[in-house]
Amino acid sequence: MEKKNLFTHIHEMETQLGQLHSDLGELKMIVKELLEDNQRLTIENEQLRKLLKREAPADLPVPSALAPAARPAGPATGEDVVGEGYDNLARLYHEGFHICNVYYGHLRTEGDCLFCLSFLNK
């Protein structure tokens, strides 16, 4: 009778060990997701700080985007007129964000995006 009890006890321990292994795998995935989010937010924070430092001195004079009288008006200048929306999208792209319909608004972490570049070249 003791041998049967011993085998039952070993089986229960094996079941508990399997459960612990699966719990550890789940925790590992959660930690991985948290680390990825932390890295993404760190990069985004750095880019926002750079942008803030770059634009902080520009607070005193009126930016050209806010002063339409400072811009030459109409196609009389001889250049192709590009809308303000295009300028804003190009600025967002150069600040490190996607402007394509696939990943719009997400942070670009791996260099240039072919979708975004093709959108800008239209």
Side-chain angles (χ1 to χ4, degrees):
M1 195 68 169
E2 278 185 33
K3 291 180 183 179
K4 187 174 183 183
N5 194 11
L6 183 63
F7 284 118
T8 305
H9 186 65
I10 290 174
H11 180 68
E12 289 173 2
M13 287 177 59
E14 187 178 22
T15 304
Q16 289 175 351
L17 190 60
Q19 183 62 36
L20 284 173
H21 187 268
S22 66
D23 289 347
L24 185 62
E26 289 176 17
L27 285 174
K28 186 177 173 183
M29 292 303 294
I30 291 170
V31 168
K32 178 185 169 203
E33 290 173 4
L34 288 174
L35 288 174
E36 288 174 351
D37 284 346
N38 188 30
Q39 181 64 24
R40 180 184 56 80
L41 290 172
T42 301
I43 292 170
E44 187 175 353
N45 238 355
E46 289 173 4
Q47 289 183 346
L48 289 173
R49 284 191 181 116
K50 288 178 187 177
L51 178 66
L52 185 63
K53 285 180 183 178
R54 199 171 60 214
E55 290 185 0
D59 287 338
L60 297 177
V62 177
S64 62
L66 296 178
R71 292 183 142 183
T77 60
E79 299 177 7
D80 288 335
V81 176
V82 177
E84 187 176 334
Y86 178 85
D87 291 341
N88 288 335
L89 287 176
R91 179 182 50 82
L92 282 173
Y93 181 76
H94 290 294
E95 287 175 3
F97 295 96
H98 282 278
I99 59 168
C100 61
N101 62 339
V102 180
Y103 299 110
Y104 183 79
H106 288 89
L107 187 64
R108 286 187 301 118
T109 57
E110 298 180 4
D112 290 331
C113 171
L114 294 178
F115 296 118
C116 293
L117 291 176
S118 68
F119 183 74
L120 281 175
N121 291 330
K122 286 184 182 178

